[in-house]
Amino acid sequence: MMLSVWLTNPVDWAITQAVVATRTGLGDAIFWPITTSGNFACIWIVLGALLLGWAWVQSPSAARRQSLATGLGVWTALGLSQLVVEVTIKPLVNRPRPIAVNPIWNHLDITTVHSSFPSGHTGWAFAVVPVLWAWDPRAGKVGLVFAVLMGFSRIYVGAHWFTDVIVGAAIGTALGIFVVWAIRRLFLSSL
């Protein structure tokens, strides 16, 4: 518990307060769907399935192998992020969420049962970015924009502190880079 108190710092408070002050009906309409699309990593699981499906319908070729490696890479990055962030770090730190510390920040009726540090939604989103980037830099850029919006949305809805998002992004990115490296070793440069 001492660690969780230490991790809630004045910078987190100031940034959360500043982001919460920007809330509008338009912001809610934009960031609520973004944040909920990350629940249970659903958007990323579907993306991995689409890539695997795309690989299935393509004729045997380098493109098919690349789509297969990318789909498996997305799922592997998600699994590693889940293991590191949700299973390992969150229970150890057990940091309270902003909406638990200041219920006034919970204007969208968010309910959470897990601790705050680090952000799982952000970790998942950033874990996928290097995999997408290796597959197609355009897809990676779109993924990066979405991952940044996901991180911001987590602060916006009051589910996470700024440092939760930053650490989630760093862990996710590192795991995604590792997955790309591993796929290139195993599939002989499929990505």
Side-chain angles (χ1 to χ4, degrees):
M1 184 61 168
M2 181 60 126
L3 182 59
S4 66
V5 171
W6 178 78
L7 288 173
T8 305
N9 59 65
V11 172
D12 280 328
W13 276 86
I15 290 172
T16 300
Q17 185 60 47
V19 170
V20 165
T22 69
R23 287 177 174 167
T24 63
L26 178 60
D28 293 352
I30 293 168
F31 293 114
W32 178 252
I34 289 172
T35 208
T36 56
S37 73
N39 290 352
F40 309 107
C42 290
I43 192 168
W44 308 117
I45 292 169
V46 169
L47 176 63
L50 290 173
L51 287 164
L52 291 173
W54 181 247
W56 182 259
V57 299
Q58 291 177 337
S59 61
S61 66
R64 181 179 190 176
R65 189 173 168 160
Q66 193 172 34
S67 295
L68 176 64
T70 304
L72 293 174
V74 165
W75 284 356
T76 302
L78 290 175
L80 288 174
S81 185
Q82 174 73 14
L83 181 65
V84 171
V85 172
E86 300 289 337
V87 175
T88 306
I89 299 174
K90 277 192 180 197
L92 290 173
V93 177
N94 199 25
R95 181 183 194 189
R97 292 184 183 264
I99 57 175
V101 173
N102 188 352
I104 258 178
W105 290 338
N106 192 6
H107 85 291
L108 294 174
D109 294 325
I110 301 288
T111 57
T112 59
V113 295
H114 302 293
S115 63
S116 181
F117 183 86
S119 170
H121 284 65
T122 307
W124 293 326
F126 275 89
V128 169
V129 170
V131 178
L132 292 177
W133 203 292
W135 176 57
D136 182 341
R138 293 170 298 183
K141 290 173 187 172
V142 171
L144 179 60
V145 168
F146 189 81
V148 168
L149 291 173
M150 177 65 73
F152 181 82
S153 77
R154 301 307 288 161
I155 300 169
Y156 183 89
V157 302
H160 287 285
W161 303 99
F162 175 72
T163 51
D164 299 343
V165 169
I166 295 301
V167 172
I171 291 170
T173 301
L175 293 171
I177 290 169
F178 171 76
V179 167
V180 169
W181 173 84
I183 286 174
R184 286 181 173 162
R185 298 280 301 210
L186 295 172
F187 283 84
L188 303 175
S189 297
S190 289
L191 274 180

